[in-house]
Amino acid sequence: MNKQHLLSIAAASLLAAGALATAPAAHADTLGKCFGIATAHHNDCAGISGLHSCKGQSPNNYNPGDFRVVPTGTCEKMGGLDMARAQALLKNPAEVKAFEAKMAAKARG
């Protein structure tokens, strides 16, 4: 392999790496947090309820403090909440239980 061929391969690799590095940023624009749709141990990252601090640690189904990352525009269709609505709901334990029951009934069909 000559020096020019090696430089061409290196340049192509750098260009490809740059293209891949921008792909997740563009994809991230089409995703959003949807609270209240995560089932037990299937949440994405820490929730706003303070019950846990990591992905997959949600102790129960459909807690409005836990979220899943979903394509933008699909959260409401699934019965989920945006962060502001989830925070407001978490202030009332009776409403949390009612929301969880509603989501569980919806999941059963």
Side-chain angles (χ1 to χ4, degrees), residues 83-109:
M83 185 181 286
R85 288 177 53 210
Q87 287 173 326
L89 187 72
L90 285 169
K91 293 177 183 177
N92 186 331
E95 287 183 27
V96 170
K97 292 293 180 193
F99 176 82
E100 290 171 345
K102 179 183 91 173
M103 292 298 287
K106 183 178 178 177
R108 285 191 298 270

Side-chain angles (χ1 to χ4, degrees), residues 1-11:
M1 210 186 284
N2 65 27
K3 194 175 195 176
Q4 186 176 5
H5 187 106
L6 185 60
L7 288 173
S8 296
I9 292 172

Side-chain angles (χ1 to χ4, degrees), residues 22-108:
T22 60
H27 183 64
D29 291 343
T30 63
L31 298 175
K33 293 178 181 179
C34 185
F35 291 84
I37 65 165
T39 55
H41 308 291
H42 292 98
N43 61 299
D44 291 326
C45 210
I48 57 174
S49 60
L51 298 175
H52 56 81
S53 62
C54 210
K55 180 177 181 172
Q57 292 184 345
S58 174
N60 47 0
N61 293 330
Y62 312 114
N63 184 297
D66 293 318
F67 70 91
R68 294 284 317 244
V69 175
V70 298
T72 302
T74 61
C75 182
E76 190 173 321
K77 294 175 188 173
M78 292 186 280
L81 309 166
D82 62 23
M83 185 181 286
R85 288 177 53 210
Q87 287 173 326
L89 187 72
L90 285 169
K91 293 177 183 177
N92 186 331
E95 287 183 27
V96 170
K97 292 293 180 193
F99 176 82
E100 290 171 345
K102 179 183 91 173
M103 292 298 287
K106 183 178 178 177
R108 285 191 298 270

